[in-house]
Amino acid sequence: MSMVVIGIDPHKSSHTAVAVDHNGRKLAQKTVKTDAGGILALWRWAAALASAQVLWAVEDGRGLAGRLVRTLIGHGAEVVWVPPKLMAQCRASARTRGKSDPIDALAVARAALREPDLPTAHLDQTALDLRLLTDRRESLVTRRTAVINALRWHLHDLDPALDTGTAKLTGPRTLATLTTALHALPDSVRRHLALDLVAEISALNKHIGRYERHLADLITPIAPTLLAIVGVSTVTAAKIIGETAGISRFRSSAAFAMHAGTAPIPVWSSGKTQFRLNRGGNRQLNTCLHRIAITQLAHHPPARDYRDRWTTTRPHATTKAALRALKRHLTNTIYRAMTTDATLQQDQLNQAA
């Protein structure tokens, strides 16, 4: 049976779809609104387009296509996520010049044809909840850092001795001591601003702590194997599960490594084997793996042993290359842990049924 691939370029107010045949030839295009009526019109357009097997390929824009994808999967459609970088590469290699929504949607569809092993999308409300909560927590942490930076400028002018550094200014005891010291200073506008910023930091600490406790309550029962890995905190585990959106989407640890951006990229000719940094994949997930690797190198002797063994067998290996090798090794470990946790969850559901 021939296949029709529909590429979607999602936006906040509209979705542009382009259908191609199995050779990548453009068949039709349609732009709809992102509301329920627009998604229904898109579904009817696709149904009338062809009776062949339809594959929906959606550019992985963060949060822009969530409602669309959930609706498509709910109707039994097969949906794959296409990384933006992969779409951009297909657009650059096409004959069509320029950039527009139809051009991008066409590139998404052709990228899905070119890469048949892209991870499929599926409904996972727990992963979505974790992703939303971790995103909210990270935005609060970023906001707190900005407030701390503003506070430090005021403290430097009032009394440099009061500035204990960014890390310590998040602690409640330090903030309480700082509040007392600021009240002892002569009255001024700068002092009032500093006190206001201290109060804002304290409020942000409470909000961040509340989200972290919520994440811990959600992640602890569903990821015991993942949490047992050295360097994986509840926040990191929640981030990994939220960004992965279902480990069963990946057929192997190698496919998961491509998604995480830890798969090695060969860059050699002649006889000297070399690999470079993989700048593709999900960079949020890659950041989690980098954080775990750094933590394990500091506190986990087996990780240091692995790095040392890897380095000694490669005379020209660099420190950065060894770190990339460790991240690739950790990707396998995390893949197995998440697969184990997913199996345990499924067994519990089967027993409950």
Side-chain angles (χ1 to χ4, degrees):
M1 179 183 294
S2 60
M3 174 182 290
V4 172
V5 179
I6 299 178
I8 304 290
D9 181 36
H11 292 280
K12 289 183 178 180
S13 59
S14 67
H15 296 319
T16 298
V18 171
V20 301
D21 60 17
H22 63 282
N23 291 320
R25 182 179 57 187
K26 183 177 178 179
L27 300 176
Q29 75 177 55
K30 186 176 183 63
T31 299
V32 299
K33 294 183 178 180
T34 57
D35 57 14
I39 296 176
L40 179 59
L42 185 62
W43 179 260
R44 289 174 175 172
W45 169 78
L49 185 64
S51 59
Q53 179 183 358
V54 176
L55 174 67
W56 296 79
V58 183
E59 184 184 1
D60 193 3
R62 207 169 168 79
L64 292 176
R67 183 181 184 186
L68 171 65
V69 171
R70 289 193 298 271
T71 304
L72 292 175
I73 295 175
H75 283 77
E78 182 181 1
V79 185
V80 296
W81 289 111
V82 177
K85 190 170 185 178
L86 185 60
M87 179 276 293
Q89 291 171 352
C90 286
R91 187 184 64 207
S93 63
R95 293 182 178 180
T96 306
R97 299 177 63 86
K99 185 184 185 304
S100 66
D101 292 348
I103 291 175
D104 287 350
L106 178 61
V108 170
R110 288 175 174 170
L113 280 174
R114 183 182 299 180
E115 302 290 338
D117 297 324
L118 290 172
T120 57
H122 71 284
L123 297 176
D124 191 335
Q125 188 60 42
T126 300
L128 176 60
D129 291 344
L130 291 173
R131 186 168 177 173
L132 292 173
L133 288 171
T134 53
D135 284 351
R136 174 58 177 164
R137 175 193 170 274
E138 287 176 359
S139 68
L140 290 174
V141 171
T142 301
R143 184 173 163 189
R144 183 180 65 182
T145 301
V147 175
I148 290 175
N149 290 337
L151 173 63
R152 293 185 66 186
W153 280 108
H154 292 303
L155 295 180
H156 180 75
D157 187 271
L158 290 168
D159 184 357
L162 296 177
D163 184 3
T164 57
T166 301
K168 291 185 178 180
L169 283 175
T170 60
R173 291 184 179 179
T174 301
L175 292 176
T177 302
L178 179 60
T179 301
T180 302
L182 288 172
H183 279 296
L185 295 177
D187 188 26
S188 66
V189 172
R190 191 177 294 277
R191 191 196 73 160
H192 283 289
L193 290 175
L195 286 170
D196 185 60
L197 291 173
V198 170
E200 186 174 355
I201 294 170
S202 299
L204 287 171
N205 282 342
K206 293 179 181 179
H207 288 307
I208 293 170
R210 185 173 69 252
Y211 279 109
E212 289 177 349
R213 289 190 295 272
H214 193 179
L215 286 171
D217 293 339
L218 289 176
I219 202 69
T220 301
I222 66 174
T225 312
L226 181 61
L227 289 170
I229 299 174
V230 175
V232 179
S233 64
T234 54
V235 173
T236 301
K239 185 73 172 177
I240 291 173
I241 294 177
E243 295 296 332
T244 301
I247 194 63
S248 60
R249 298 193 300 141
F250 304 96
R251 69 188 188 282
S252 64
S253 60
F256 181 60
M258 285 297 296
H259 176 69
T262 58
I265 304 297
V267 289
W268 82 82
S269 61
S270 185
K272 187 177 180 181
T273 303
Q274 288 183 334
F275 297 90
R276 71 160 175 83
L277 172 67
N278 187 343
R279 293 181 174 86
N282 186 311
R283 304 317 297 173
Q284 299 284 329
L285 189 54
N286 191 279
T287 299
C288 291
L289 290 164
H290 184 83
R291 189 182 302 122
I292 296 169
I294 295 299
T295 303
Q296 288 201 357
L297 287 175
H299 305 288
H300 193 47
R304 293 194 293 269
D305 294 340
Y306 177 87
R307 178 198 58 186
D308 295 340
R309 289 196 309 271
W310 191 91
T311 305
T312 54
T313 57
R314 296 162 179 81
H316 302 288
T318 63
T319 302
K320 290 184 178 180
L323 179 61
R324 292 198 296 269
L326 176 60
K327 288 170 63 176
R328 178 64 183 87
H329 176 70
L330 283 172
T331 304
N332 291 341
T333 303
I334 290 174
Y335 175 82
R336 290 192 297 268
M338 295 180 70
T339 301
T340 300
D341 289 334
T343 302
L344 291 174
Q345 289 182 61
Q346 189 59 46
D347 291 343
Q348 292 174 0
L349 291 175
N350 293 338
Q351 292 176 2

